[in-house]
Amino acid sequence: MSAAREASLRELAGELPAVVEGQRFNAPPAETLSRVVYIDCSFERVHWRQCRFEEARFVNCRFETNRFERCVWREMGCADSQFIDCVWEECELERVGWQRVIASGAEWRGGRQRDFSCVELDAAGWRVSDVRSEHGSFVDCRLREWRLQGGRWSDSAWIRNQLDGFSVEEAELHNFIHGQSQARRVALSGCRGVNARWIDCELEHMALDHCELKQAAWSHSVWNGGAIRSSRLAGASFDQARLRRVQAREADLEQAMFDGARLEDCAFEQLNAPRLSLRQARLEQVNLSGANLRGLDASGAVLQSVKLSGCDCRGGRLLGQPRGAWSAADTAGALFDDSKLEQDRAWRQQAQPGPRGAA
């Protein structure tokens, strides 16, 4: 073999990661773990201080009562592994992927996550406080008793998950998207942000308290039980959604859209929702007493056992129902006849109902 070929083979071998298999650790193997694969290893009560994990892989490993303090994880992954009662404190994660990981009793304090993706994560008892998360994703995960407190979550995708006991407190939410998921006991408190959405989800007992969310959405979702309390959801979309036994107290839903939605046994008295859009919606046993719905569009809506005493529907577009259906409400200046197209067009230009305006 020529010297050049031997040198080439040595160079190629040097590019392959080292493999550590079947080892047990109670201290960090090194301050920097780079280009190494750990297989069938266990880490018990290890305190990782300012360690770096770069292009490392953990396969079928177990971390029990580990503490990661000011560590950096980059370009690394974990598969078929377990994290039991572990703490991450002021850690930085970038381009990290977990697949089929089991993690219980986790605490994340501060730090930053960027491009942290979890697929088929089974996790219970997480406490995440003051974390800055960007471009994170959770797909096909089972998450139980999670508490996200403070911090900022942006461009976060939660898809096809099962959540049970999920609370978010005093956090900033920007493009915080849940889709095709099942969620029980969801609570948002004191949250602010733009584009927080639950699309095509099944929600049981979801509650919002003192939140201000712009362009929020529950489109095509089923929401059973819960409440919107002391919250402002201007321009929220509930199109094609189904709400059952949902209450609104001191809530502001100005210019929200419920087109094609179905509301059953809901208590929305004193709701502030001027320019609300209820096009082709169906309301059954809904209490709208004292609500401010001035300028609403209820074209084609079906009302059955709806309480409208003291409801302000002035200047609304109330087509498809006999005038008697709105008799308990104030309908001064409302349109009941859709044959006057010019009048209708002028109304739309002035009122701009729903978050999509005149579209």
Side-chain angles (χ1 to χ4, degrees), residues 30 73 76 92 131 137 167 179 192 263 326:
W73 292 22
M76 64 163 293
E92 181 177 339
V131 167
S137 64
S167 67
R192 302 289 184 270
L263 283 66
W326 304 94

Side-chain angles (χ1 to χ4, degrees), residues 286-302:
V286 176
N287 189 348
L288 287 168
S289 300
N292 174 17
L293 307 183
R294 183 180 294 192
L296 87 156
D297 186 351
S299 302
V302 176

